[in-house]
Amino acid sequence: MSPLKRIAYFVGLPIVLIVLWYALSFGSTNFFVPKPIELAQTLWTTWIGDRFFEDVLPSLGRLAVGLFFAIGLGIVLGLLIGSTRWLRNLLEPLLEFFRAIPPPVLVPLLMLLIGVNDSMKVAVIISGAIWPVLLNTVEGVRAVDSVLNDSCRSYGIAGFARIRYFVLPAVTPQIMAGVRQSLSIGLILMVISEMFASSSGLGFTIVQFQRNFAIPEMWSGIVVLGLIGLGLAIIFQFVERRVLHWYHGLKEITHDS
């Protein structure tokens, strides 16, 4: 696909939706739905300035730390659990139990155990974002080709070399699928964690706007969250293309043949 066609696909639908929004809101006096131009002006005046450094950057920092530990722990624990059959059988009921607990209900508990601070907010992000990576890694290790596994044993490839050159390349597609889910979960939990006993951050600021009936400002905060999600998706696609270049190349060859 040519670069121009990629750009057209990328911006085409948003432009159509904005034009439709403008047409439907033209002449409207609805207080709760701002017009596109008004929202764009509010977005600039509200978030470009001190609030960007006081609310947006701290939120992004907590999100980055939470995702880093969630993805790292998910991969390491997933490789360990998936590679050890007795450990996998032992922990599987416990993992399913904790996975089923909605992370937002852990916020009051984490506030009591950790306190109302940045560590609590990071812990909330980790508590939910770790599961897609962990479970996908476990399932990826379980699904490794048994013939190739036996070949590794026959050639004496074991320990870290087996993980590095055989297991990790085989499970990387599943890991990246889990990471994609973790990014959106982490962003949601970042907002939720900032709505409880917080004095800064995107979640706190959006709630404050809503309580003060600052409707355009509230909508602008939602747009900022959407832009952050879009940025994460673009970064993920860039990284995935390079980490899984061999995988996408193989799929193209298979598709062409």
Side-chain angles (χ1 to χ4, degrees):
M1 186 183 297
S2 65
L4 288 178
K5 186 176 290 188
R6 288 179 183 272
I7 295 173
Y9 276 121
F10 186 77
V11 303
L13 182 58
I15 292 176
V16 171
L17 292 177
I18 291 173
V19 171
L20 181 63
W21 177 14
Y22 182 83
L24 293 175
S25 63
F26 184 79
S28 173
T29 58
N30 190 333
F31 174 72
F32 298 103
V33 182
K35 297 178 177 61
I37 296 177
E38 178 188 2
L39 181 58
Q41 293 172 344
T42 305
L43 179 68
W44 180 267
T45 57
T46 302
W47 299 102
I48 304 301
D50 293 339
R51 186 167 277 119
F52 178 81
F53 298 98
E54 295 171 358
D55 293 317
V56 178
L57 286 185
S59 294
L60 291 177
R62 290 187 286 264
L63 176 63
V65 173
L67 289 175
F68 175 80
F69 282 103
I71 294 171
L73 289 172
I75 293 174
V76 172
L77 293 176
L79 290 173
L80 178 62
I81 296 171
S83 301
T84 312
R85 180 175 298 178
W86 67 267
L87 185 61
R88 183 172 67 239
N89 294 334
L90 178 66
L91 294 179
E92 189 169 9
L94 193 63
L95 293 177
E96 292 298 328
F97 172 80
F98 283 110
R99 183 184 68 87
I101 299 176
V105 306
L106 298 176
V107 173
L109 177 62
L110 293 174
M111 288 172 61
L112 291 174
L113 296 177
I114 302 176
V116 182
N117 50 39
D118 287 348
S119 298
M120 181 273 292
K121 299 179 180 69
V122 172
V124 171
I125 296 172
I126 295 173
S127 68
I130 190 174
W131 297 109
V133 180
L134 173 60
L135 297 178
N136 274 33
T137 304
V138 172
E139 291 303 316
V141 175
R142 290 178 62 178
V144 165
D145 193 309
S146 58
V147 175
L148 293 177
N149 200 21
D150 292 339
S151 299
C152 282
R153 290 196 181 95
S154 299
Y155 283 100
I157 303 174
F160 179 77
R162 176 178 174 274
I163 297 293
R164 169 67 180 84
Y165 296 105
F166 171 59
V167 177
L168 264 181
V171 304
T172 300
Q174 287 91 333
I175 291 175
M176 296 305 291
V179 171
R180 180 189 291 272
Q181 299 175 47
S182 293
L183 295 179
S184 58
I185 293 173
L187 183 59
I188 293 170
L189 293 176
M190 178 199 77
V191 177
I192 292 175
S193 68
E194 293 171 350
M195 291 180 174
F196 292 88
S198 181
S199 59
S200 66
L202 275 166
F204 167 79
T205 306
I206 291 172
V207 170
Q208 289 300 110
F209 286 150
Q210 181 264 331
R211 290 173 178 172
N212 294 322
F213 286 92
I215 303 303
E217 288 78 6
M218 181 194 72
W219 277 97
S220 70
I222 295 172
V223 172
V224 170
L225 288 174
L227 292 175
I228 292 173
L230 177 62
L232 288 175
I234 293 173
I235 294 172
F236 173 80
Q237 290 179 1
F238 177 82
V239 174
E240 184 193 36
R241 276 287 170 183
R242 277 145 186 81
V243 172
L244 295 180
H245 60 91
W246 60 271
Y247 179 73
H248 293 294
L250 182 62
K251 286 178 63 177
E252 290 176 2
I253 293 173
T254 305
H255 178 73
D256 293 338
S257 60

